[in-house]
């Protein structure tokens, strides 16, 4: 079980492939705030709802200085299919090795339908301009989560 991040922690650096196979690094967002959200799988109902909510609020978040990156264990080909099918505008990156998911505390034991399983823990980490964790939210709900973040950040 990986450790959960706390406000003030340095966000773990990462470089992962996006839906087009291009590398996306956390370092590229230096000087801007970035919302890094972790979801279990592209093309599933809850993850689709969450990705669409982020896409719908992208302009609002960008105007407030936030970029959004979605991380899942999916390969770039599946992310591309997800982006095209749902007209997503958020940056989606794949972490098939689950190293970044683990570094962010977004992979481990969770309850699913009453059973304990190991998998992706739906989580959102807000990273500030200097690369520090501003907020770390774990076991978030797919529906209504983006509205809550927008409200909590005062956007």
């Amino acid at each position: 079980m990986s450790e959960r991040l706390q406000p003030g922690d340095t966000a773990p650096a990462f470089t992962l492939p996006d839906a087009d196979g291009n590398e996306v690094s956390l370092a590229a967002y230096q000087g801007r705030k970035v919302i890094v959200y972790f979801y279990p799988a592209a093309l599933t109902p809850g993850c689709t709802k969450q990705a669409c909510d982020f896409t719908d609020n992208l302009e609002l978040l960008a105007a407030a200085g936030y970029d959004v990156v979605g991380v899942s264990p999916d390969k770039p080909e599946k992310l591309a299919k997800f982006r095209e099918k749902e007209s997503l505008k958020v940056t989606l990156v794949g972490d098939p090795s689950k190293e970044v998911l683990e570094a962010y505390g977004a992979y481990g034991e969770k309850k699913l339908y009453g059973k304990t399983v190991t998998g992706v823990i739906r989580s959102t980490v807000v990273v500030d301009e200097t690369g520090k964790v501003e907020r770390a939210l774990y076991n978030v709900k797919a529906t209504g989560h983006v509205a809550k973040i927008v409200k909590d950040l005062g956007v």
Side-chain angles (χ1 to χ4, degrees):
M1 179 77 184
S2 37
E3 285 295 305
R4 293 190 168 182
L5 298 175
Q6 301 296 323
D9 288 351
T10 298
F14 65 79
T15 300
L16 294 169
D18 69 7
D20 299 314
N22 301 316
E23 293 196 336
V24 174
S25 297
L26 182 63
Y29 293 95
Q30 193 75 20
R32 286 194 49 91
K33 293 183 179 205
V34 60
I35 297 168
V36 184
Y37 79 97
F38 301 90
Y39 63 100
L43 299 166
T44 58
C47 299
T48 298
K49 174 78 179 112
Q50 190 178 21
C52 289
D53 282 354
F54 270 118
T55 293
D56 293 345
N57 286 282
L58 206 54
E59 283 182 25
L60 181 69
L61 289 164
Y66 292 93
D67 291 312
V68 179
V69 177
V71 182
S72 74
D74 297 308
K75 290 185 167 40
E77 302 78 36
K78 188 172 178 189
L79 296 175
K81 207 176 285 179
F82 187 36
R83 181 187 62 196
E84 303 313 317
K85 182 174 187 273
E86 303 299 337
S87 304
L88 300 174
K89 302 276 185 268
V90 293
T91 300
L92 300 173
V93 297
D95 180 23
S97 71
K98 302 176 187 71
E99 284 176 34
V100 174
L101 288 155
E102 287 180 6
Y104 276 79
Y107 188 84
E109 283 190 356
K110 63 180 184 174
K111 289 264 189 250
L112 190 66
Y113 306 114
K115 289 190 172 119
T116 300
V117 298
T118 300
V120 176
I121 300 163
R122 194 181 299 278
S123 314
T124 300
V125 176
V126 180
V127 181
D128 72 12
E129 301 90 340
T130 66
K132 295 271 189 234
V133 174
E134 192 176 290
R135 291 164 193 263
L137 309 160
Y138 293 93
N139 293 312
V140 301
K141 299 276 179 251
T143 307
H145 176 61
V146 176
K148 184 181 178 338
I149 287 180
V150 167
K151 184 174 174 261
D152 288 354
L153 295 176
V155 174

